Structure formats: C-alpha cells, structure tokens
Amino acid sequence: MTLSFTRVTPEQLELAFEDPERALEYLEDEERPYCFLEKSWAGIQFLLDAAGVGVDVYEDGDAIDEECTLFGWSDSMVAATAKALGATPFEVLAGFYDPQRLSEKDVYPMRHLWDADDIGYLRDNYGDLARFFEETAAAGDAAIRNFSF
C-alpha cells in the first residue's frame, strides 16, 4: 500500500471532483510535481500524531472517487498543511520515534519489525512531503492524494 500526492490547480481539482477519470489523467502526467511516500506514510502519520501535528496524510481531504482511493486537497488545505509541516522539522518528530512502540502498534509497513535504522526512511520521505506541500502552497495550487494497494 503506497500513498502519493500530485499537484493540480484548484480548477483542475474541481474538474477531478466532477469526473474522477480526470483525476487519473492528472496522476498519469509525469510532468506534474508529485510526492511519492512509498510505504512510509503510516510511520510518518504515527509521528505526526504523536507530535500533535494536525495533519492526516491518509484521512484528510475530500473523496474524489467511490473507492476513496483519491482524495482532493484544496489550495487552502495545502497551504495549512504546508504551514503545519514547515513548523515541524523532522527533528521534532524524531523525538517520538520509538521502534518498539511502532512495532507494538503494528504500524505499516514494518508491522512488528521496526528498528532503529528505519528512522532514516521516515526522515527522507518526510522531507519530500514537507517540500512538496511548501512548493505546492507557494504556487497557490491544490493536490490529489492517491492511495494504491
């Protein structure tokens, strides 16, 4: 199960809500800025929750399709997320990294096999996530969150 974000204009997001096939076209456009979190999304979410950051990379947004694999993030939601992530450097999240607790909570993708080295995987992907939202917000754009399994 992977999670990614793709930048779209607010107008394109509206079209995606009207026709989910459009959303898929945007996701297939390799020229669009995107952030591919791979399987790190649940570990990142665990840290965001532990730090009290009000961002949910999986649940936030509005469903575009009936299967709820595509969610739209408005330009205002993108801006608020960029602000929250920008105010939370990974060093803050790292203080909540506890491989034993992640394993006990069965956090995807490592489930019960998290170890001390896995923090680098989360750090790298969190950096990509924060940059994506910062750049997307600076452009005044929106995003489509795609959950693949």
Side-chain angles (χ1 to χ4, degrees):
M1 297 180 286
T2 62
L3 192 137
S4 63
F5 290 91
T6 300
R7 185 189 305 177
V8 294
T9 67
E11 296 79 18
Q12 290 168 329
L13 181 59
E14 284 305 313
L15 292 173
F17 280 119
E18 293 170 15
D19 179 8
E21 290 298 316
R22 279 249 168 112
L24 294 174
E25 291 173 16
Y26 300 142
L27 298 180
E28 292 170 359
D29 181 354
E30 295 179 10
E31 298 297 313
R32 284 184 185 282
Y34 69 94
C35 174
F36 183 57
L37 291 179
E38 301 178 328
K39 298 179 178 187
S40 69
W41 61 271
I44 289 171
Q45 189 61 56
F46 177 90
L47 297 178
L48 290 170
D49 291 344
V53 179
V55 172
D56 191 320
V57 297
Y58 180 74
E59 294 287 337
D60 285 348
D62 296 304
I64 293 174
D65 62 336
E66 290 182 15
E67 297 82 20
C68 294
T69 59
L70 304 174
F71 273 54
W73 289 47
S74 69
D75 55 340
S76 61
M77 180 178 246
V78 165
T81 301
K83 185 176 180 180
L85 297 180
T88 314
F90 190 79
E91 291 72 29
V92 170
L93 299 182
F96 295 95
Y97 185 74
D98 180 347
Q100 182 176 347
R101 188 150 181 250
L102 281 143
S103 296
E104 288 169 359
K105 296 283 186 184
D106 204 28
V107 175
Y108 183 80
M110 308 308 182
R111 302 276 185 211
H112 60 282
L113 302 174
W114 286 91
D115 66 34
D117 294 335
D118 294 322
I119 194 169
Y121 177 60
L122 300 180
R123 177 184 289 111
D124 292 346
N125 282 287
Y126 181 77
D128 292 344
L129 180 69
R131 263 187 309 284
F132 171 82
F133 275 96
E134 177 185 344
E135 292 170 3
T136 301
D141 282 337
I144 296 174
R145 190 272 287 150
N146 181 27
F147 184 72
S148 299
F149 49 105

